[in-house]
Amino acid sequence: MAMEDEDNNAAAAAAATNAKQKAGDVGDDGACIDRQPDAVAHRAGQNPTSRSGPGSHAATGIRVLKRNMKRNGSRGCVTRKNRFGSRERDWLKGDTQRGCVCLYGGTVDPQPPASGPQAASTPHTDLQLVLCSTTTTVEELCAQRDGHGLYVQLHGDLVRRLDPNERPLQMLYDYLAAMGYTEPVRVQQEAANSDLSCLIRFYSEPPVNADQQERTLLKGIFNVRKGKSQLHKWAERQVILCGTCLIVASVKDSLTGKMHILPLVGGKVEEVKRRQHCLMFSSAGSQAQTYFVNFDALADYQRWHRQASKVVSQTVSLVDLSCYSLEVVPEYLFYSQDITHLNLRHNFMCLEGPGGLLNLPKFSQLKSLNLSHNRLGVFPECVCEILTLTELNLSCNSLETVPVQIGNLQSLQILSLDGNHLSSLPEDLGGLSQLNSLGLSFNNFSHIPAVLERLSAVDKLAMAGNRVESLELCTLARMSHLKNIDLRLNRLHCVKSESLEAVSQVTQLDLRDNCLDSLDLSSVCNVETLHCQRNQLATLTLGGFTLRMLHASSNRLTTVNIYPVPNQLTHLDLSQNLLEYLPDWVCDCRKIEILEVTHNFLSELPSRLLNSLSLRKLLAGNNCLQRVPDLLDHIPLEALDLQHNKLAELPESLFYKALNLKYLNVSANALDSIPASSPSEESLSTLQELYLTANHLKENCGALLVGHQNLRVLHIAYNQLLSFPASKLSKLEMLEELNLSGNKLKAIPSTVSSCKRLHTLIAHSNNITVFPEILNLPEIKLVDLSCNELTEIQLPDSLPSTLQELDLTGNSSLLLEHKTLNLFSHITTLKLDQKSTMSAGDSQSGPTPWNHGYSEMSGQRNKLCVSVLAVDQFGDGVEACYGIFDGDRNEEVPRLLQCTMGDVLCEELQHSSIDSVYMCNTFLTSHRKLGMAGQKLGASALLCYIHHEPSDPGGYFSLTVANVGTCQAVLCRDGRPVPLSKVYSLENCTEEMERVKLSKAIITEDNKVSGVTCCSRLLGCSYLSPWVLPKPWVHTEPLCTKDEFLILGNRALFERVSYQEAVCTVQAVRDPRAAAKKLCSLAQSYGCKDNIEAAVVSLHIVEDSCTCEPPVSSTEPRCTPPIAAPAPVTVTLGPTDPVALSSNGGNVSEFNSEASTSEMGSEAGSTASDEHPSSAPASRPERRCSLHPATTLCGIMVPGAVGAGTHLGLFQRQPSCTTFSSNHSDNGLDSDDEAPLEGVISNGSKLEVEVDIHCCAFQLRSGLPESSKDSDLDYPNGKMRRQNSVVVSATNGCLLAVCGREMADLKKSPSTSSLFGKKLSNGSVVAPEDSHNLIEVALEAPKKKSGYFTAPAQQDPEDQLIVPPSLEQEVREQLRGHSPLVSALPSAPLAAIPPSCKDSVWDHSHPPAFPSNLVPGPGPVPLPQHEVYDTAL
């Protein structure tokens, strides 16, 4: 691609630009380079001079600026800072119809320079910045530039030549408006953003793709010899490989003479070993000819050999030129007269020209022609002259009519006209007697065309996605040849049967996704398969003579009438209806194998049904069943799902009468026991998967599981188990997955080591105190022991290499030694708790009105494609931001959104206070920032923002929710669920389905756009635009005292767990983290195999919770960069990186680890803004109440607070475990003599400190008085310790260590610095080990090679002590009294601190409320207020 060459030749471009400037500022294409600072650009239509015409500079308002742009790390994106100057901004001011278009040059120089052929391949890297208006046409731009045309590329895909009357800037504005931007000024700003080039890009020359040229046409002058005889001489001839033939000219350097054509299909191409770089081409058949071609270079030899080998291997003469941005076919292709199949799909074919469509009749043997997706607009009548055609595809070409000449194609068998604007067909089409397939889906037909009655060979009516509102069965009766009817996604309201005439020929009928409320198909007597899902059916009547499959889910059926009994029926789906009982005929079906009746109101199952000798799969979950009938004899049942019923017991003979049963799910019932596997000791059970979650089972059930020796999956979570029999567990040797969560277990039996195939153990939310003996298992991969009472871990000498994830969060008493952490170094994802301690001052300040917990499970997938964003203190500390992202099958886009979306929201809040505006723009900007990753990949996204309304800053909080895709948010209000989001899937959103249909997207039978996604709105997947858009649903809900918590989940969660059950689950648990864990475990036990993600936000909104003073102005922007709340530490460790221990005093050893993005709350680096910081308005004033903590700490200044308005740098970090090694104690005494420091674990000469540096926004500032540089400062809310240029701030539990020589690293954007780290097995990135003195965890960010964006550089942090005037005297007294070493400090007047660095929040009578659970310790022991520790390095 062009951008790859541009990146590799930036230096050459810079030299070329300098040469142009010296040559008089004239570009290669003759465009003028405007360098006059006072130049005035005029709007189109405003002509102050007498000049006129399309090339008039004054008339068109065109200014061309040619520059060598610098890249900001995102391939194809230009840094805005280097792009705009004062002239450009003046041009954009005051008129939203003005703008700029960035023109990219071609990849290869059209004319070789004088320096020789070596420089002929030097690509252009200059970009042309063209200032114009929305009325400026391509013709006017080309006249100004002396160019030959302009080209547009969407989403990095095909490149199309623009018509002379098209207007590029208007196209750009229309594209942005279609995305979702509504404000003209914002559209103008976004159009000027360089990141947009990944979505839409303009070229001044057609970009050349070398690979494309190779596959379409190869030619050159080489030595050629004809025939195998040595008598023939070698001669230089022009040789061409195009299509299916090798073409050799008879005269050197000329194509005017006779051309020798060698068909290659079925022939062979071989290497000639006697001659270097020589190939032998031979045709097929008895009269085969042979040509020897000798190449000059190895590259040419390999290129020709590769392409010719593809041609000779074909069984038919097929030429595939799809997706090449072609306007005409190569002229040499017409020499291949043996072509029978020509694929020109996804191009921009023209009628005129040497290779235009008008010349296609030259192919005398052409049978198959594909011209779909070519923007033709009209039916090309020239194809009706290709009388040999048997297959013609003209789908998605915006055709409105079909010419009568179509009747000439008497050999035509397949005609595809899907995705057009057709509403009628010509009568001449009825003369095509051999036509057997006619595609008319997604057109504008309001009725079935009458011409189909004459097409006797057509057996399938494909009319999905049209506008048919009624179906008359008598019409189908007249079309006696139609067997398969596809009328899904129409507007059918009724199916009429006015006559008694039987429709006997129809065997398959698809009526899905219509508006039918009743359906009587008794006259369609031979129907075999009927699809009528997602209608509004209350009654269904049909004949059962030949019925084999009936799919009628998601309706309102109370009964189904079928007569006679369908003895051929094998599959019946009546799920999600209103059935209270099963029809009698169901029990009489002799061949029924699969019965789905989930989500109904069934109170019983007939005994005859369960004892059927044909039933193999019965799904009857989510009903009202109270009992299951006894089994009378052996049955062939293999899968039984009875979850979410009211069962108190199961049939005693279930397991030894259903010997083929392999899957049983009875979760969410009232079982207190399970039946025995066999009446005797010998068991023949073949059960492999057993789900018993959410029942009332006790430990005696363990003995009953012994007989199922083939059991692979056992879920027995959330029961009443006090223990699990050790002797019984040892007999389950085939067990692979075990879930014992939510019980009252105090230990996992040691006999679990007998389960040698166990790879997953989930036992969170118990009372386990001893780590189980599972680390000797050879296949163990995942261990979840969170939310228990572990105190220590006994480990073997080595851990299994298969262990990938270990979750130990929620174990408040767990103390990990350094040796233990060293053994965990190879684990891909290690989740540990941050330890908390509260000082006396901290305990007086109130907590935030919310806290959160979340959980993620990969299920049976090999990778985790979901991520979460959780920031309890967003902005000034009284706001919060939460989000979840689901990439379905990709993990890249969710991680990118997790890294950037919080920063983007911060930026948008500075520009607007209207919820629908800033939320919508946050999603659209995030969509743009995905760059090249978002072209083909996408993700569902949900973002929740808790804030005060600008109109009432002292009142209640409000919750603003925005989402695209299938992620959902549910608020619990007074015990009832309140859905806050909108599910943007085609099945659930009728208006989105209509929008996608109107844009002529092809929706496949599984309701996916182009077979890719079921979502109509996503972030990313820009190549599916305009069918899939990034514009979100936005809703704001005022919060009140009745609001208890908020639940966020992805599609997989809410497909299995209803809103009401989710609310009841969280109410029963209360702890957010344990509740999120339970939600995920329940969804998994209910049958979910996909990635599951759940986040729970506990709300504590009280009536008198807010005593804020109203700000001076409520119209100011409302957010500053986020401060993340405490979250579980997730350390992602490299497989070969052990913990590096340091024996040197004062060195800080850092784990070779990284916080997994699956566990991070917010990534570092503000990637939201491309604007200058000085342009941002001032942030809102601080609030003063216990629930609205201050934003500035001693030594740690939060951006956005008063006095920090001009410093918008953001430095955020993940939780990390860091070990300090020292030969001396902190106070210089022996370790045995010193008082134990809270949160520090002493281990000989090593000190272990667990610390939260998760998303801690701070700025170190300069200007500290000289006398204090070597002093220890003690403040009421924390400590500042300095020694040898190392700053350790333990203020309010936030511990930060910065080595002096690493200050330069801090000035870099964290997102940028992480790009060059080490890639871990789980996709994480670990920064290079250039320092062991910096507490830093590498951030999760994609590598540069994939073209992802890079965060812009941050503001330089400085080191400065900030003391408000109101506390100056108090600080002086405390410092004077605490240490004689700081006696010189008062001599430096605190008033000398610049006013911009002061913060009135220090006037607060209470200490600021920041989370202090960041330093480990056994309990909340108050810190000594009069001890100052000095790190002896």
Side-chain angles (χ1 to χ4, degrees):
M1 292 300 292
M3 293 316 302
E4 296 175 358
D5 295 326
E6 290 174 5
D7 291 336
N8 295 332
N9 295 273
T17 303
N18 294 334
K20 293 172 188 175
Q21 293 174 358
K22 295 178 181 179
D25 294 340
V26 177
D28 291 339
D29 55 3
C32 178
I33 306 174
D34 190 351
R35 300 191 183 280
Q36 300 178 7
D38 56 348
V40 178
H42 300 277
R43 283 191 59 192
Q46 296 179 353
N47 189 1
T49 67
S50 59
R51 296 182 58 189
S52 62
S56 174
H57 177 77
T60 59
I62 304 170
R63 182 186 298 169
V64 180
L65 304 175
K66 298 192 66 176
R67 296 178 179 176
N68 179 38
M69 301 297 183
K70 294 183 179 180
R71 309 294 172 190
N72 69 348
S74 175
R75 202 168 68 184
C77 298
V78 185
T79 304
R80 180 184 295 185
K81 183 187 301 182
N82 298 328
R83 180 174 171 179
F84 276 92
S86 59
R87 292 164 297 170
E88 291 90 331
R89 294 191 182 94
D90 291 341
W91 169 257
L92 299 181
K93 285 181 180 178
D95 190 350
T96 56
Q97 299 303 311
R98 292 180 178 181
C100 61
V101 175
C102 189
L103 294 183
Y104 291 77
T107 304
V108 181
D109 269 326
Q111 298 296 332
S115 58
Q118 178 74 20
S121 61
T122 302
H124 286 298
T125 52
D126 284 348
L127 303 181
Q128 300 175 3
L129 191 63
V130 181
L131 306 183
C132 56
S133 69
T134 55
T135 59
T136 306
T137 63
V138 171
E139 183 180 9
E140 293 169 340
L141 286 174
C142 292
Q144 174 68 23
R145 300 174 46 260
D146 294 336
H148 302 289
L150 294 183
Y151 303 81
V152 64
Q153 182 184 40
L154 295 178
H155 322 121
D157 201 358
L158 305 183
V159 179
R160 177 178 68 87
R161 181 195 298 269
L162 295 176
D163 294 335
N165 59 345
E166 290 189 86
R167 298 171 292 170
L169 187 60
Q170 186 63 51
M171 291 177 58
L172 200 56
Y173 285 4
D174 292 343
Y175 181 88
L176 293 170
M179 278 179 57
Y181 288 107
T182 56
E183 297 176 334
V185 175
R186 184 58 185 262
V187 169
Q188 185 187 52
Q189 295 173 354
E190 288 295 320
N193 196 300
S194 57
D195 289 347
L196 203 63
S197 61
C198 292
L199 300 177
I200 180 170
R201 176 182 294 188
F202 294 95
Y203 289 93
S204 58
E205 302 172 11
V208 179
N209 189 319
D211 181 61
Q212 172 182 330
Q213 286 185 326
E214 173 185 330
R215 288 184 287 175
T216 56
L217 177 66
L218 291 176
K219 67 177 179 179
I221 298 177
F222 308 108
N223 285 318
V224 181
R225 191 187 78 186
K226 181 180 180 182
K228 298 182 179 180
S229 173
Q230 297 292 337
L231 299 177
H232 293 87
K233 296 183 179 180
W234 291 89
E236 283 191 345
R237 293 290 183 268
Q238 184 156 8
V239 186
I240 302 169
L241 178 61
C242 185
T244 60
C245 296
L246 183 73
I247 307 170
V248 181
S250 58
V251 182
K252 178 184 178 182
D253 295 335
S254 175
L255 296 177
T256 57
K258 180 180 179 182
M259 306 298 293
H260 299 277
I261 310 299
L262 184 68
L264 294 179
V265 176
K268 58 184 178 179
V269 54
E270 297 177 348
E271 177 185 359
V272 179
K273 297 183 179 180
R274 299 189 306 271
R275 198 175 183 94
Q276 188 179 17
H277 303 159
C278 184
L279 292 176
M280 181 186 72
F281 298 88
S282 301
S283 60
S286 57
Q287 299 181 353
Q289 294 182 335
T290 302
Y291 280 90
F292 292 85
V293 180
N294 196 79
F295 300 93
D296 299 327
L298 176 62
D300 290 335
Y301 165 81
Q302 292 174 339
R303 188 180 302 115
W304 283 68
H305 192 193
R306 180 170 57 249
Q307 187 63 22
S309 298
K310 295 179 183 178
V311 177
V312 299
S313 63
Q314 295 178 175
T315 57
V316 295
S317 298
L318 168 65
V319 176
D320 187 357
L321 298 177
S322 60
C323 305
Y324 283 160
S325 302
L326 297 177
E327 296 180 1
V328 295
V329 297
E331 191 174 354
Y332 300 112
L333 190 65
F334 293 103
Y335 287 101
S336 303
Q337 286 299 309
D338 61 333
I339 293 179
T340 58
H341 296 72
L342 180 58
N343 186 359
L344 296 173
R345 182 181 63 90
H346 267 295
N347 285 291
F348 305 102
M349 298 302 299
C350 302
L351 290 174
E352 308 292 337
L357 297 181
L358 292 176
N359 296 291
L360 291 184
K362 292 182 180 179
F363 295 108
S364 58
Q365 301 182 35
L366 193 61
K367 295 182 179 180
S368 175
L369 177 61
N370 189 342
L371 287 172
S372 61
H373 295 87
N374 267 275
R375 295 171 55 98
L376 295 177
V378 294
F379 194 107
E381 297 181 7
C382 55
V383 301
C384 298
E385 301 175 12
I386 310 175
L387 303 182
T388 56
L389 279 181
T390 60
E391 181 179 355
L392 177 60
N393 191 338
L394 288 168
S395 302
C396 302
N397 278 295
S398 301
L399 306 181
E400 295 184 358
T401 59
V402 178
V404 296
Q405 288 85 348
I406 191 69
N408 298 335
L409 303 177
Q410 291 297 317
S411 301
L412 199 62
Q413 300 176 10
I414 300 175
L415 177 60
S416 299
L417 298 172
D418 306 290
N420 287 291
H421 300 284
L422 301 175
S423 57
S424 62
L425 295 176
E427 290 295 327
D428 301 79
L429 189 64
L432 304 182
S433 57
Q434 299 187 37
L435 190 66
N436 55 46
S437 177
L438 178 61
L440 300 175
S441 299
F442 300 99
N443 279 280
N444 299 333
F445 290 99
S446 59
H447 59 275
I448 299 177
V451 69
L452 285 171
E453 297 182 18
R454 299 170 53 195
L455 296 173
S456 57
V458 176
D459 60 353
K460 180 178 180 179
L461 175 64
M463 289 188 62
N466 278 275
R467 302 178 180 179
V468 181
E469 296 186 355
S470 65
L471 174 62
E472 297 183 2
L473 294 180
C474 58
T475 302
L476 296 180
R478 293 194 298 267
M479 302 176 184
S480 58
H481 45 85
L482 293 179
K483 297 181 180 179
N484 191 339
I485 308 295
D486 183 4
L487 289 173
R488 60 188 175 89
L489 294 169
N490 274 273
R491 301 175 179 175
L492 285 175
H493 287 85
C494 62
V495 176
K496 301 178 181 178
S497 179
E498 298 179 352
S499 63
L500 299 178
E501 183 179 2
V503 184
S504 58
Q505 80 281 1
V506 176
T507 58
Q508 299 183 43
L509 184 59
D510 193 343
L511 301 176
R512 280 176 286 185
D513 297 287
N514 281 287
C515 306
L516 298 171
D517 54 11
S518 63
L519 184 60
D520 186 353
L521 296 176
S522 55
S523 59
V524 187
C525 53
N526 291 325
V527 63
E528 297 179 1
T529 302
L530 172 63
H531 290 272
C532 56
Q533 304 98 305
R534 292 179 296 278
N535 279 275
Q536 302 172 16
L537 295 176
T539 59
L540 175 62
T541 304
L542 64 159
F545 292 100
T546 59
L547 188 64
R548 298 179 182 271
M549 300 178 67
L550 173 59
H551 300 272
S553 61
S554 301
N555 281 286
R556 302 174 181 175
L557 294 172
T558 57
T559 185
V560 179
N561 300 314
I562 299 181
Y563 182 83
V565 174
N567 288 323
Q568 304 298 321
L569 186 66
T570 59
H571 190 167
L572 176 61
D573 183 2
L574 296 175
S575 56
Q576 296 183 3
N577 279 285
L578 305 178
L579 298 174
E580 296 182 359
Y581 60 91
L582 285 177
D584 294 335
W585 55 264
V586 175
C587 304
D588 297 328
C589 296
R590 300 176 181 177
K591 296 184 178 180
I592 189 167
E593 297 181 0
I594 301 175
L595 175 60
E596 300 180 40
V597 288
T598 61
H599 291 90
N600 279 281
F601 299 96
L602 301 177
S603 57
E604 62 176 353
L605 290 176
S607 176
R608 286 191 302 157
L609 174 65
L610 200 61
N611 287 279
S612 170
L613 298 180
S614 62
L615 190 63
R616 299 182 181 276
K617 184 176 182 180
L618 174 60
L619 306 180
N622 295 92
N623 280 282
C624 305
L625 301 177
Q626 297 183 1
R627 61 177 299 273
V628 179
D630 293 330
L631 300 182
L632 304 179
D633 202 351
H634 294 286
I635 58 175
L637 193 65
E638 297 177 1
L640 178 60
D641 189 342
L642 297 173
Q643 61 176 290
H644 284 92
N645 281 284
K646 302 177 181 179
L647 300 176
E649 61 179 0
L650 293 176
E652 191 64 31
S653 59
L654 176 63
F655 292 123
Y656 52 87
K657 288 294 181 66
L659 295 178
N660 293 333
L661 190 64
K662 295 179 173 59
Y663 175 94
L664 175 62
N665 195 331
V666 287
S667 301
N669 279 283
L671 300 176
D672 53 15
S673 66
I674 58 174
S677 60
S678 173
S680 59
E681 295 184 359
E682 183 179 359
S683 174
L684 300 176
S685 172
T686 59
L687 190 65
Q688 298 181 5
E689 298 183 44
L690 178 59
Y691 299 88
L692 300 169
T693 297
N695 280 283
H696 303 153
L697 299 176
K698 298 183 179 180
E699 51 272 11
N700 56 358
C701 69
L704 302 174
L705 296 173
V706 178
H708 305 291
Q709 298 184 0
N710 295 310
L711 203 60
R712 294 188 299 105
V713 179
L714 174 60
H715 283 224
I716 194 169
Y718 295 98
N719 281 277
Q720 300 175 9
L721 300 181
L722 297 176
S723 63
F724 199 95
S727 60
K728 310 303 180 183
L729 184 60
S730 62
K731 297 183 179 180
L732 301 178
E733 298 180 355
M734 305 294 290
L735 200 61
E736 299 177 5
E737 179 178 327
L738 177 61
N739 192 332
L740 296 170
S741 304
N743 287 284
K744 301 178 182 179
L745 300 176
K746 294 185 178 180
I748 301 293
S750 59
T751 52
V752 71
S753 57
S754 302
C755 305
K756 298 299 182 182
R757 297 189 179 184
L758 190 69
H759 59 72
T760 300
L761 173 63
I762 304 176
H764 62 79
S765 306
N766 279 284
N767 301 322
I768 299 174
T769 57
V770 180
F771 194 85
E773 299 179 9
I774 55 174
L775 297 182
N776 290 320
L777 298 177
E779 299 184 15
I780 192 69
K781 293 182 180 180
L782 185 150
V783 178
D784 186 352
L785 293 172
S786 58
C787 302
N788 277 287
E789 299 175 3
L790 293 175
T791 56
E792 59 180 354
I793 299 179
Q794 298 293 333
L795 296 178
D797 295 335
S798 62
L799 298 182
S801 59
T802 56
L803 185 59
Q804 299 177 3
E805 182 174 344
L806 176 61
D807 191 348
L808 298 176
T809 57
N811 290 277
S812 57
S813 302
L814 179 62
L815 301 177
L816 297 180
E817 297 183 354
H818 191 76
K819 178 182 178 181
T820 302
L821 294 173
N822 192 15
L823 283 175
F824 288 157
S825 61
H826 80 279
I827 303 177
T828 303
T829 303
L830 173 62
K831 301 179 182 179
L832 300 175
D833 251 339
Q834 56 195 13
K835 303 302 179 181
S836 63
T837 180
M838 295 185 65
S839 65
D842 292 333
S843 61
Q844 296 175 4
S845 59
T848 56
W850 42 72
N851 59 307
H852 77 277
Y854 60 89
S855 177
E856 301 164 327
M857 289 187 177
S858 59
Q860 294 187 356
R861 301 267 294 277
N862 292 327
K863 58 182 180 180
L864 190 66
C865 298
V866 294
S867 60
V868 64
L869 170 67
V871 188
D872 284 339
Q873 292 180 336
F874 187 79
D876 58 3
V878 292
E879 298 175 348
C881 179
Y882 305 98
I884 58 172
F885 314 102
D886 186 354
D888 192 21
R889 299 291 175 181
N890 80 88
E891 56 186 345
E892 292 86 352
V893 172
R895 288 179 177 178
L896 288 173
L897 295 173
Q898 178 194 42
C899 293
T900 60
M901 212 157 184
D903 293 337
V904 175
L905 178 58
C906 279
E907 177 67 23
E908 294 300 333
L909 285 170
Q910 298 182 25
H911 298 301
S912 176
S913 59
I914 303 175
D915 52 3
S916 60
V917 174
Y918 63 71
M919 271 299 194
C920 183
N921 289 345
T922 296
F923 274 68
L924 299 182
T925 302
S926 300
H927 173 76
R928 167 174 56 79
K929 283 183 171 291
L930 290 175
M932 297 180 66
Q935 291 176 348
K936 303 297 181 183
L937 304 177
S940 298
L942 170 72
L943 196 62
C944 298
Y945 173 46
I946 303 177
H947 58 93
H948 279 286
E949 287 296 332
S951 58
D952 187 16
Y956 285 116
F957 292 99
S958 293
L959 172 63
T960 298
V961 179
N963 79 288
V964 293
T966 54
C967 294
Q968 303 175 55
V970 178
L971 177 68
C972 175
R973 173 168 292 170
D974 200 17
R976 292 187 296 271
V978 179
L980 301 178
S981 53
K982 184 174 184 178
V983 180
Y984 277 113
S985 67
L986 296 183
E987 294 182 357
N988 297 345
C989 193
T990 305
E991 59 269 23
E992 284 296 291
M993 176 73 80
E994 289 300 318
R995 182 186 64 80
V996 173
K997 284 170 54 180
L998 287 175
S999 58
K1000 298 303 174 185
I1002 300 299
I1003 303 173
T1004 53
E1005 292 186 355
D1006 53 356
N1007 272 348
K1008 291 186 176 181
V1009 180
S1010 297
V1012 177
T1013 175
C1014 63
C1015 299
S1016 61
R1017 305 212 178 184
L1018 289 174
L1019 294 185
C1021 282
S1022 56
Y1023 80 105
L1024 293 176
S1025 175
W1027 310 319
V1028 177
L1029 299 176
K1031 184 178 181 179
W1033 159 270
V1034 181
H1035 173 71
T1036 297
E1037 184 74 18
L1039 296 180
C1040 62
T1041 57
K1042 295 182 179 180
D1043 297 328
E1044 302 176 39
F1045 49 83
L1046 178 67
I1047 304 175
L1048 284 65
N1050 67 336
R1051 172 190 53 82
L1053 174 68
F1054 287 112
E1055 276 185 351
R1056 301 289 177 174
V1057 182
S1058 65
Y1059 293 156
Q1060 187 61 53
E1061 183 180 5
V1063 165
C1064 295
T1065 298
V1066 177
Q1067 282 182 321
V1069 178
R1070 306 305 297 178
D1071 177 62
R1073 175 167 50 193
K1077 288 275 186 182
K1078 183 174 182 180
L1079 288 174
C1080 290
S1081 292
L1082 291 180
Q1084 206 170 42
S1085 294
Y1086 296 162
C1088 181
K1089 308 295 183 183
D1090 211 339
N1091 288 172
I1092 311 172
E1093 181 174 39
V1096 176
V1097 182
S1098 179
L1099 302 174
H1100 313 287
I1101 309 297
V1102 294
E1103 188 171 356
D1104 55 348
S1105 63
C1106 186
T1107 59
C1108 299
E1109 296 179 4
V1112 178
S1113 172
S1114 62
T1115 60
E1116 296 178 352
R1118 306 189 291 121
C1119 190
T1120 56
I1123 305 173
V1129 177
T1130 302
V1131 184
T1132 307
L1133 301 169
T1136 59
D1137 297 332
V1139 177
L1141 300 180
S1142 174
S1143 59
N1144 297 329
N1147 285 344
V1148 181
S1149 273
E1150 179 185 309
F1151 285 105
N1152 247 352
S1153 62
E1154 175 189 347
S1156 170
T1157 54
S1158 302
E1159 297 296 321
M1160 71 172 60
S1162 176
E1163 277 291 350
S1166 174
T1167 59
S1169 176
D1170 293 326
E1171 301 289 347
H1172 299 287
S1174 59
S1175 63
S1179 59
R1180 73 167 76 172
E1182 38 75 31
R1183 300 185 178 95
R1184 305 176 186 177
C1185 73
S1186 61
L1187 292 179
H1188 299 161
T1191 60
T1192 303
L1193 300 179
C1194 177
I1196 300 181
M1197 172 163 276
V1198 179
V1202 175
T1206 60
H1207 300 276
L1208 295 181
L1210 181 63
F1211 188 86
Q1212 302 168 331
R1213 281 292 180 259
Q1214 280 292 321
S1216 174
C1217 297
T1218 307
T1219 301
F1220 293 82
S1221 298
S1222 178
N1223 294 327
H1224 302 281
S1225 59
D1226 280 348
N1227 58 2
L1229 304 176
D1230 190 73
S1231 58
D1232 293 334
D1233 300 331
E1234 66 174 351
L1237 180 62
E1238 184 180 14
V1240 179
I1241 307 166
S1242 178
N1243 182 18
S1245 62
K1246 300 181 179 62
L1247 293 178
E1248 297 182 3
V1249 180
E1250 249 182 317
V1251 53
D1252 182 349
I1253 46 179
H1254 177 85
C1255 297
C1256 182
F1258 68 93
Q1259 290 186 340
L1260 297 177
R1261 302 185 175 274
S1262 61
L1264 192 67
E1266 292 292 328
S1267 59
S1268 64
K1269 289 188 176 179
D1270 296 325
S1271 303
D1272 296 337
L1273 309 181
D1274 190 7
Y1275 295 105
N1277 296 317
K1279 297 183 179 181
M1280 175 72 74
R1281 295 170 291 180
R1282 284 180 170 267
Q1283 181 92 13
N1284 296 345
S1285 300
V1286 177
V1287 182
V1288 181
S1289 171
T1291 307
N1292 287 292
C1294 296
L1295 185 140
L1296 169 70
V1298 181
C1299 179
R1301 69 182 182 87
E1302 297 300 328
M1303 290 302 296
D1305 293 338
L1306 289 180
K1307 296 179 181 180
K1308 300 178 182 178
S1309 168
S1311 299
T1312 305
S1313 62
S1314 66
L1315 291 176
F1316 309 100
K1318 174 184 176 183
K1319 190 73 182 296
L1320 296 181
S1321 58
N1322 71 333
S1324 303
V1325 181
V1326 173
E1329 289 186 80
D1330 57 348
S1331 170
H1332 292 286
N1333 296 325
L1334 179 63
I1335 299 180
E1336 182 174 358
V1337 180
L1339 301 178
E1340 182 104 0
K1343 288 191 175 181
K1344 182 180 179 181
K1345 68 178 183 179
S1346 58
Y1348 299 160
F1349 63 87
T1350 304
Q1354 302 299 309
Q1355 295 286 326
D1356 294 346
E1358 300 175 358
D1359 190 4
Q1360 183 171 352
L1361 176 65
I1362 309 299
V1363 180
S1366 59
L1367 294 182
E1368 291 178 6
Q1369 186 63 29
E1370 181 180 352
V1371 171
R1372 282 198 189 97
E1373 293 174 359
Q1374 290 187 1
L1375 295 181
R1376 187 180 297 111
H1378 287 172
S1379 174
L1381 297 177
V1382 297
S1383 58
L1385 180 62
S1387 62
L1390 294 179
I1393 298 175
S1396 61
C1397 300
K1398 299 179 181 179
D1399 196 338
S1400 60
V1401 76
W1402 287 78
D1403 297 334
H1404 196 282
S1405 59
H1406 299 287
F1410 270 75
S1412 57
N1413 54 340
L1414 308 179
V1415 181
V1421 182
L1423 285 173
Q1425 294 298 310
H1426 298 284
E1427 293 186 32
V1428 179
Y1429 294 96
D1430 180 19
T1431 307
L1433 303 179

